[in-house]
């Protein structure tokens, strides 16, 4: 249920300080200490689970619902013009804290944040092939 070495479990338990912004039975939302933009929030399940592959459907749904709530607050209260949701699953995908979390990143018209890739049109055949593989 909890991992004593996990910093996010320590935040859930109140053993490590965090700016908590919302919580419910299954989730806690708190501010990221290295925000990509003003208001960058993390949503986590109370129960320790490593990543997207391991999280159960109820906790995943609860985190998604909480992310939606937080995103609405970012728009209403912080004046965000948009929001990015981001999850890193695995080291190759930049995961650094191995307790599942959704980044809820408010976006502001003209803000300088650029995710680390340069969007460019892809090869349509390759896109279709990948889509067919995904669809199974
Ligand atoms: P990721 O790289 O997707 O695993 O994201 C981990 C996030 O946790 C990073 O954005 C960190 O800035 C954030 N983080 C690490 N330690 C803390 C902490 N003690 N309180 C709040 N956010 C943290
Ligand atoms: Zn944990």
């Amino acid at each position: 249920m909890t991992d004593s070495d996990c910093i996010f479990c320590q935040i859930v338990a109140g053993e490590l300080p965090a700016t908590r912004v919302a919580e419910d039975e299954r989730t806690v939302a708190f501010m990221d200490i290295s925000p990509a933009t003003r208001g960058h929030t993390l949503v986590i399940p109370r129960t320790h689970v490593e990543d997207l592959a391991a999280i159960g459907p109820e906790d995943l749904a609860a985190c998604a619902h909480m992310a939606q709530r937080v995103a609405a607050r970012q728009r209403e209260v912080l004046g965000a013009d948009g929001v990015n949701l981001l999850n890193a699953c695995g080291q190759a995908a930049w995961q650094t804290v191995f307790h599942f979390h959704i980044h809820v990143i408010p976006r502001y018209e003209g803000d300088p944040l650029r995710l680390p890739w340069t969007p460019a049109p892809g090869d349509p055949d390759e896109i279709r092939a990948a889509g067919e593989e995904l669809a199974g």
Side-chain angles (χ1 to χ4, degrees):
M1 293 293 273
T2 61
D3 175 343
S4 54
D5 293 331
C6 169
I7 55 171
F8 287 179
C9 284
Q10 290 166 15
I11 286 174
V12 171
E15 294 162 6
L16 196 67
T19 305
R20 296 159 87 114
V21 298
E23 42 199 294
D24 63 19
E25 203 178 295
R26 285 183 177 271
T27 72
V28 178
F30 59 96
M31 303 309 288
D32 193 302
I33 43 164
S34 303
T37 62
R38 182 164 186 277
H40 181 170
T41 304
L42 299 174
V43 173
I44 64 172
R46 289 181 183 277
T47 299
H48 181 83
V49 63
E50 191 165 308
D51 60 20
L52 180 66
I55 193 168
E58 293 91 351
D59 272 351
L60 182 58
C63 286
H65 190 220
M66 178 58 82
Q68 185 186 42
R69 264 179 65 187
V70 169
R73 294 285 297 165
Q74 289 172 341
R75 283 172 168 274
E76 287 161 18
V77 179
L78 301 182
D81 301 303
V83 177
N84 284 127
L85 297 187
L86 180 75
N87 169 251
C89 178
Q91 229 165 357
W94 321 313
Q95 186 173 6
T96 59
V97 177
F98 290 84
H99 179 132
F100 177 86
H101 49 282
I102 299 174
H103 295 261
V104 189
I105 306 172
R107 302 304 304 273
Y108 305 92
E109 285 302 344
D111 74 39
L113 180 64
R114 292 293 174 268
L115 295 172
W117 70 76
T118 306
D123 171 34
D125 291 337
E126 176 47 28
I127 291 170
R128 194 174 313 111
E132 284 168 2
E133 276 184 51
L134 277 175

